[in-house]
């Protein structure tokens, strides 16, 4: 699929959602205070000599269309965790990805690993909402945030005890992520403007990521060989969605990917 305007439409829809959320921010803040303490994904990844697998609960996407609209998020996450997933990513956007915060709440309650809220976060109230739902990590996309807001949201996520996965797609965005203080930096191999995917994006950008920052290669990962390819470039972890959801052996596929050794190489 190639639609240059899709990202703008997604973000415009988020602005409408944010306006509604602001009316209940006080309730969300109370729920966030009462939520279970965040699980620490960074420490688990730092201690591992293998590539960490962040396995995704994903029903559909603008690029792939329907993937598995009838999936049970808790059962799927359990298969991922059995295979050795370091964390579970949950798409919480409903219009474009068929997800919900209820999916995240159920996955977090039913499993034992960290859970990432994957959505298009453009406002602080969404961070509060994520913590209220039990999220341990929150995705921030550099492309849709100005540098000051990116920095502030990253700091807010950290202050709430969660981890920000700050996502970049080009050299400028990597620089912006690092300037915002990213400790977990995702390189999205998919261009969100046109939904075209190329693993060479990770290979090109890895050298710009300092060794003390953990690097996640996102999108386009379909096999253990793909994991080995981005690991050779210096990726510490991978975020995998569509290939796992479509797999007939999700647990086995996660295990194969999680069996790939990290190289520590950058550039």
């Amino acid at each position: 699929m190639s639609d240059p305007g899709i990202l703008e439409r997604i973000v415009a829809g988020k602005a409408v959602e944010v306006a509604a959320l602001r009316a209940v921010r006080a309730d969300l803040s109370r729920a966030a205070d009462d939520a279970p303490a965040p699980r620490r994904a960074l420490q688990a990844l730092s201690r591992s000599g293998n590539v960490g697998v962040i396995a995704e609960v994903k029903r559909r996407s603008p690029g792939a269309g329907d993937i598995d609209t009838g999936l049970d998020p808790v059962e799927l996450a359990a298969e991922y965790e059995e295979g050795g997933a370091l964390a579970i990513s949950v798409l919480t956007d409903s219009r474009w990805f068929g997800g919900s915060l209820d999916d995240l709440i159920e996955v977090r309650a039913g499993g034992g690993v960290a859970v990432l809220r994957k959505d298009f976060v453009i406002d602080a109230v969404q961070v509060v909402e994520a913590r209220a739902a039990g999220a341990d990590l929150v995705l921030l996309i550099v492309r849709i945030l100005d540098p000051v807001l990116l920095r502030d949201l990253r700091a807010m996520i950290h202050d709430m005890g969660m981890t920000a996965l700050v996502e970049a797609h080009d050299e400028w965005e990597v620089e912006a992520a690092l300037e915002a203080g990213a400790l977990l930096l995702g390189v999205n191999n998919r261009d969100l403007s046109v939904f075209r995917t190329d693993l060479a994006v990770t290979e090109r950008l890895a050298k710009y990521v300092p060794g003390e920052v953990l690097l996640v290669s996102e999108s386009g990962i379909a096999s253990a060989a793909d994991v080995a390819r981005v690991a050779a470039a210096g990726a510490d972890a991978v975020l995998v969605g569509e290939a796992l959801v479509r797999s007939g052996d999700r647990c086995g596929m996660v295990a194969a990917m999680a069996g790939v050794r990290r190289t520590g190489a950058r550039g």
Side-chain angles (χ1 to χ4, degrees):
M1 187 187 98
S2 177
D3 182 348
I6 193 165
L7 184 60
E8 290 77 7
R9 295 207 302 277
I10 292 173
V11 172
K14 291 299 157 184
V16 175
E17 292 178 20
V18 162
L21 280 177
R22 285 177 178 153
V24 294
R25 178 159 181 166
D27 293 335
L28 291 172
S29 294
R30 285 190 289 272
D33 289 341
D34 293 338
R39 293 169 180 157
R40 306 292 185 178
L42 276 182
Q43 286 86 335
L45 179 55
S46 297
R47 290 192 298 266
S48 175
N50 286 8
V51 173
V53 176
I54 304 173
E56 193 157 84
V57 175
K58 184 178 189 176
R59 290 184 175 86
R60 65 173 184 262
S61 75
D66 289 347
I67 301 169
D68 185 350
T69 56
L71 64 79
D72 181 311
V74 177
E75 289 182 4
L76 179 58
E79 291 182 74
Y80 290 160
E81 191 169 346
E82 183 182 352
L86 175 85
I88 308 297
S89 169
V90 180
L91 261 304
T92 59
D93 173 81
S94 58
R95 178 181 177 188
W96 298 95
F97 293 87
S100 70
L101 270 175
D102 286 341
D103 288 345
L104 188 147
I105 292 167
E106 292 172 9
V107 167
R108 180 56 163 76
V113 298
V115 178
L116 165 72
R117 182 189 187 179
K118 192 175 182 189
D119 210 316
F120 298 80
V121 172
I122 58 170
D123 191 274
V125 73
Q126 292 167 287
V127 174
V128 179
E129 182 187 40
R131 184 78 282 270
D136 308 293
L137 305 101
V138 178
L139 179 71
L140 296 177
I141 302 172
V142 174
R143 182 162 295 195
I144 64 174
L145 298 168
D146 72 61
V148 174
L149 181 57
L150 175 64
R151 182 194 64 211
D152 290 349
L153 291 177
R154 208 257 356 140
M156 179 183 181
I157 291 166
H158 176 81
D159 290 345
M160 295 184 79
M162 298 183 289
T163 301
L165 172 58
V166 185
E167 177 182 294
H169 180 69
D170 61 25
E171 289 83 351
W172 178 87
E173 291 177 4
V174 169
E175 182 179 354
L178 295 172
E179 288 180 354
L183 300 174
L184 186 65
L185 194 152
V187 168
N188 195 343
N189 300 305
R190 178 174 294 120
D191 185 340
L192 291 177
S193 297
V194 293
F195 282 78
R196 185 182 303 113
T197 305
D198 186 354
L199 295 184
V201 177
T202 290
E203 293 171 324
R204 187 180 82 245
L205 298 183
K207 62 179 175 289
Y208 299 107
V209 181
E212 66 272 16
V213 175
L214 293 168
L215 173 61
V216 183
S217 183
E218 307 172 14
S219 303
I221 311 283
S223 65
D226 288 340
V227 176
R229 177 178 168 184
V230 295
D236 301 298
V238 292
L239 194 155
V240 189
E242 181 183 347
L244 286 175
V245 176
R246 293 190 191 278
S247 172
D249 181 10
R250 293 154 171 171
C251 176
M253 191 171 185
V254 170
M257 291 179 169
V260 176
R261 298 291 292 175
R262 290 161 64 184
T263 68
R266 294 279 166 84

